[in-house]
Amino acid sequence: MTGRGGAPVSPSTLSRYLPPFRIYAAWAQHLDDQGAQPTPDELFNALAGRGITSAPYTREKIAPLLADFPRRRAALAAHASSARGTT
């Protein structure tokens, strides 16, 4: 991975993006499996079940992220659909 200037992105920069990605992955898995969006408590428990329990994964830090996940899922689905040549 390279940054805007073409230099490699530092591990510390990349590490900022890992917690939201892991939370989104657990959210999407719950939605796929259960057919409904998880509550912050359900998502927290799902993360704990995966052994993900460090400071970035508290209920208080998870809750504000949930509002953006449906938009993210729709954007990813639209991108995948256009990449396949379907709408």
Side-chain angles (χ1 to χ4, degrees):
M1 296 220 66
T2 58
R4 286 183 254 168
V9 177
S10 72
S12 63
T13 297
L14 290 174
S15 70
R16 287 186 295 192
Y17 298 99
L18 185 57
F21 174 79
R22 293 174 93 180
I23 295 166
Y24 174 78
W27 176 90
Q29 184 68 51
H30 184 280
L31 181 61
D32 290 343
D33 292 348
Q34 305 297 320
Q37 295 181 36
T39 65
D41 283 339
E42 289 171 329
L43 191 50
F44 180 80
N45 292 334
L47 290 165
R50 295 177 177 197
I52 303 170
T53 58
S54 63
Y57 304 100
T58 64
R59 285 175 177 87
E60 294 76 22
K61 291 184 180 179
I62 290 171
L65 299 173
L66 296 181
D68 187 56
F69 287 167
R71 182 210 57 82
R72 183 183 298 188
R73 185 174 177 97
L76 291 169
H79 176 73
S81 193
S82 68
R84 289 189 307 265
T86 61
T87 53

